[in-house]
Amino acid sequence: MNDDLEKQLDEFYRKLDGPARRVEARWKSTPDAGSNRIAAWLGAGVAAAAAILLMISALRTGPKPVERPVAQGETPVEPAPRPVEPQPPTPLPVRKPAPVQAPKPDETPRPPEPRPEPPTPDPTPKPEPPPTPEPKSPPEPPKPPTPVPETRPLRATAKLAETEGSFELADRSVRGKQKEFTVHAGDRLRATTTVKLTLADDRFVLLAPRTVVEFRPEEKKLALALEQGDLLADLLAPRSAW
Amino acid sequence: MDEETLVRAARRGDRGAFDRLVERYSHAVVARQFGWTRDTAAAEDLAQETFLRAWQGLGRLEDIRAFGSWLLSIGGFVGQEWLRRKQADQKARMTFTAPAPVRQDDGPDPALARALAELTSEVQQLLALRHDRGLSCEEIARELGRPLGTVTKTLSRAYEQLRARLARQ
């Protein structure tokens, strides 16, 4: 019995010779798969990542040409930035006075750029830092209260409990009693008649006609500064009332 | 070169060593796939896929000495997947076309292939070593690092199972 079955099995495997040889041939003809394929994929992944990093760095360095003149105007070390250098030396001094108003938007991107450069030129980055802090320092004080706008609307404000009398404030004339009257830092109040400014229930200021006072910011508060004329009554704790 | 050495080399990425293993097991793998497909061309395709998966997953093989049964178990998965796809495909086609006629040719015995495919991977490996490579029981025991008694008992049990399955068909 076993002999028959064993013969059957021998014949069975022998008849598979053809397919088995073809499988071997196919396998040997297939390009290296598997572990090497994984290695190839890993290699491709690393290459792709490197390409992406290069693209990112290229994008970051894209805007640099504008800056390089500022940083490398003095250093004749690298060949690539030089073409841009000849132009900037002159604009540099011109820009410095201007930055207070317009260049602010351009300067925010600048700080990240100098960082990649430092590795090669040590002396060059030194000239760069000064330009950036200079323009930033003047505009920053008004910014804290409100983020974006840097103009007058962002000025500090205070509310006067009540005003009485006629006066001109910021090119507009005010008459009679005004409740919860808002004033801004830098506003100038010119009294046309005797003016009573009520800061609180028991705190007020009497201004003589033609007196000019200015509301000036002082430590997050507004203070009255007498510029012209006389105070008819003392100011009682004016700053704390605001 | 013994199988263990070949498997170790293949695990290190030696493609030539794995080629040698393919030569050793091509009959066994094709036989297993023929049990599922009963078609030599399809069996060749599945055998190719089996070797590819084995090559890719060689790092996950825990017991190097069990390479043969591990490879044939992969062949089992590949064959079962093929069978499921085939059955789903046939269900989809039943409503449109008549079933394909059963193929009659001079190839290997489909009934025996089917009975073989139902055996465990270890038993299939033993039968392949015995009847494909023509190894004696002593050589098989040496090759697999198992006691001779275990090999002979397993083989005789395999014959009984095969005979029972063939009688059922």
Side-chain angles (χ1 to χ4, degrees):
Chain A
M1 288 286 284
N2 269 2
D3 286 348
D4 283 349
L5 186 58
E6 289 184 31
K7 281 178 185 175
Q8 262 186 287
L9 283 166
D10 288 341
E11 191 181 358
F12 173 79
Y13 282 108
R14 190 178 53 77
K15 284 186 175 176
L16 286 175
D17 275 349
R21 298 284 169 257
R22 282 194 291 274
V23 167
E24 291 167 20
R26 273 174 67 180
W27 172 256
K28 287 174 184 171
S29 66
T30 49
D32 200 354
S35 58
N36 288 341
R37 173 191 279 183
I38 292 168
W41 276 106
L42 284 174
V46 170
I52 291 169
L53 286 175
L54 281 174
M55 287 176 66
I56 292 172
S57 63
L59 287 173
R60 281 187 177 177
T61 52
K64 276 187 179 178
V66 185
E67 260 208 0
R68 282 176 184 170
V70 183
Q72 299 175 350
E74 300 172 6
T75 59
V77 186
E78 294 179 3
R82 283 179 189 173
V84 195
E85 291 177 15
Q87 303 168 352
T90 44
L92 278 181
V94 185
R95 276 196 174 185
K96 287 179 181 175
V100 183
Q101 298 172 352
K104 288 167 191 171
D106 296 338
E107 287 162 7
T108 46
R110 285 181 184 178
E113 293 176 3
R115 289 170 192 168
E117 293 181 9
T120 45
D122 289 339
T124 46
K126 291 174 184 174
E128 283 189 10
T132 46
E134 282 176 5
K136 280 184 178 178
S137 53
E140 280 176 2
K143 282 181 181 178
T146 45
V148 186
E150 302 160 279
T151 52
R152 287 197 169 184
L154 300 177
R155 291 174 302 173
T157 60
K159 278 190 178 177
L160 305 178
E162 186 181 279
T163 64
E164 209 172 333
S166 301
F167 58 89
E168 289 175 2
L169 183 80
D171 298 329
R172 67 187 176 114
S173 56
V174 180
R175 289 183 182 180
K177 276 189 179 180
Q178 304 291 333
K179 300 266 185 181
E180 299 293 323
F181 191 78
T182 303
V183 292
H184 303 280
D187 281 355
R188 280 189 173 191
L189 186 152
R190 183 184 187 89
T192 314
T193 62
T194 300
V195 174
K196 178 186 173 188
L197 302 178
T198 305
L199 308 177
D201 290 343
D202 57 346
R203 295 170 185 176
F204 61 91
V205 179
L206 268 183
L207 303 176
R210 292 184 298 281
T211 297
V212 178
V213 292
E214 183 180 358
F215 296 91
R216 292 179 182 169
E218 271 190 21
E219 297 179 353
K220 298 180 181 179
K221 295 175 183 176
L222 290 185
L224 272 180
L226 183 63
E227 289 204 342
Q228 177 185 323
D230 295 309
L231 287 176
L232 298 179
D234 288 338
L235 177 65
L236 297 177
R239 293 178 187 176
S240 60
W242 294 350
Chain B
M1 195 179 289
D2 67 351
E3 186 168 306
E4 200 174 316
T5 309
L6 289 174
V7 175
R8 284 187 194 282
R11 276 168 68 112
R12 288 195 300 269
D14 185 343
R15 172 69 184 258
F18 194 79
D19 289 351
R20 298 283 302 279
L21 291 168
V22 171
E23 288 168 9
R24 285 191 182 202
Y25 284 95
S26 58
H27 282 76
V29 173
V30 171
R32 172 142 218 187
Q33 302 306 352
F34 186 74
W36 297 107
T37 62
R38 300 185 188 186
D39 175 54
T40 51
E44 287 172 27
D45 290 342
L46 296 189
Q48 176 79 5
E49 190 177 340
T50 301
F51 285 122
L52 184 64
R53 288 196 194 182
W55 171 242
Q56 290 172 343
L58 205 52
R60 293 192 295 273
L61 173 61
E62 292 176 357
D63 183 4
I64 289 178
R65 289 187 305 175
F67 172 78
S69 59
W70 175 75
L71 175 67
L72 290 170
S73 66
I74 292 176
F77 291 128
V78 171
Q80 285 171 352
E81 283 177 10
W82 176 88
L83 200 60
R84 276 196 292 271
R85 283 199 305 270
K86 180 87 172 174
Q87 285 169 347
D89 190 42
Q90 275 181 346
K91 269 186 185 175
R93 291 185 183 192
M94 278 295 271
T95 52
F96 301 106
T97 59
V102 178
R103 184 178 167 183
Q104 301 277 348
D105 61 15
D106 219 15
D109 181 2
L112 183 56
R114 183 69 191 169
L116 264 176
E118 290 173 357
L119 299 177
T120 64
S121 302
E122 290 79 5
V123 174
Q124 286 185 51
Q125 184 189 14
L126 279 184
L127 289 171
L129 290 171
R130 179 80 181 90
H131 298 281
D132 170 32
R133 289 171 60 188
L135 300 184
S136 65
C137 288
E138 290 82 3
E139 287 170 327
I140 294 172
R142 250 198 322 272
E143 174 103 8
L144 299 180
R146 292 181 193 172
L148 177 61
T150 306
V151 172
T152 52
K153 279 181 188 173
T154 310
L155 270 177
S156 61
R157 214 177 301 136
Y159 294 137
E160 287 172 17
Q161 290 173 339
L162 272 179
R163 217 173 288 119
R165 283 178 166 78
L166 286 170
R168 271 209 312 264
Q169 294 175 6

